[in-house]
């Protein structure tokens, strides 16, 4: 179990509570984590979404005030507490400490921007379900999403999106994302989607500074293996796969997702500790590839080719 705290940034249309199924695995052994709501999402739904605002929101959680979870408190309760805890007066708090930042979809965009702007506050970076579509495909997806929101409304759109995106059959996990997206204003969904789809318009991919893992679900129909592997190379990072998962890997296969992250973070721990601290761990090194291992007992479901993409 790594001693470095986790900062978890949710997917497009999600909120902090969508991390609840994964938290019990990510925080096994007492690891600490924060899963804030990004502007326009969850308890911050009234706020407009901007990338600058989202980065500012995330950066508040790199300060040394991450929640230390009591050993007898279930980790998934972290996502049930209010995610909009005040982050003012940070100047009066202890200096920043590096965290392991994990972002999915929209959260990956925010995580990448955070790592570039505040590299000293980020020990490692994991981008999940990234990069998004670009060029004509991006423009087409934005226009299609805007039209579907206009015709169907947010609640119906959310139901269709979740049914076409999540692979796992667990209705509770589906309800977490559906409820969050249905409560998100259409303008927020469009503004955050536009920012995500235009992620490389102003700045080409380049190494963000901290060690980077580009991770995708094995059945992600939005982000192909070639695109994710190319991005990993551009960022000087590692490519990994979550078996059985689709686009929102942390909801589809939370245990397998946590296992892949643990391999990545433990490799960083061993690299910092040095050879003497890892003597006797034959076959293990800080540069070993991420090995995807399927842990979840939830069988993947088949998706219709016409499902929302």
């Amino acid at each position: 179990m790594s001693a470095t705290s986790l900062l978890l940034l949710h997917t497009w249309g999600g909120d902090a509570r969508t991390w609840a199924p994964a938290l019990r695995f990510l925080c096994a052994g007492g690891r600490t984590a924060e899963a804030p709501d990004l502007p326009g999402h969850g308890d911050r739904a009234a706020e407009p979404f901007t990338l600058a605002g989202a980065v500012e929101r995330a950066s508040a959680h790199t300060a040394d005030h991450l929640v230390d979870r009591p050993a007898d408190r279930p980790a998934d309760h972290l996502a049930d507490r209010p995610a909009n805890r005040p982050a003012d007066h940070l100047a009066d708090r202890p200096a920043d400490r590096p965290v392991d930042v994990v972002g999915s979809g929209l959260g990956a965009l925010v995580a990448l921007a955070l790592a570039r702007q505040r590299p000293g506050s980020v020990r490692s970076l994991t981008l999940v379900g990234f990069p998004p579509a670009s060029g004509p495909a991006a423009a087409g997806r934005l226009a299609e999403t805007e039209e579907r929101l206009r015709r169907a409304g947010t609640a119906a759109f959310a139901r269709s999106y979740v049914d076409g995106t999540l692979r796992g059959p667990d209705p509770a996990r589906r309800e977490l994302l559906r409820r969050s997206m249905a409560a998100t204003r259409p303008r927020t969904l469009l503004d955050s989607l536009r920012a995500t789809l235009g992620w490389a318009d102003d700045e080409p991919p380049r190494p963000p500074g901290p060690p980077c893992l580009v991770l995708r679900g094995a059945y992600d129909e939005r982000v192909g293996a070639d695109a994710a592997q190319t991005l990993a190379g551009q960022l000087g990072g590692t490519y990994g796969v979550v078996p059985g998962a689709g686009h929102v890997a942390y909801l589809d296969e939370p245990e397998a997702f946590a296992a892949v992250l643990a391999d990545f973070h433990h490799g960083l721990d061993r690299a910092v500790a040095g050879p003497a601290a890892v003597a006797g761990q034959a076959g293990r090194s800080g540069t070993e590839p991420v090995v995807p291992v399927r842990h979840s007992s939830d069988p993947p479901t088949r998706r219709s080719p016409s499902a929302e993409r």
Side-chain angles (χ1 to χ4, degrees), residues 74-94:
D76 54 353
H77 284 359
L78 285 172
D80 294 331
R81 62 175 176 76
N84 60 343
R85 184 179 54 183
D88 52 354
H89 307 303
L90 289 181
D92 299 330
R93 294 178 179 178

Side-chain angles (χ1 to χ4, degrees), residues 6 30 33 37 66 77 86-87 109 121 131 142 157 159 184 191 194 214 216 223 261 283 289:
L6 288 164
D37 289 325
L66 295 176
H77 284 359
L109 171 70
S121 296
L142 184 62
F157 176 85
R159 187 176 302 108
T184 305
D191 287 347
R194 184 179 296 106
V214 176
R216 68 179 285 273
V223 178
L261 276 186

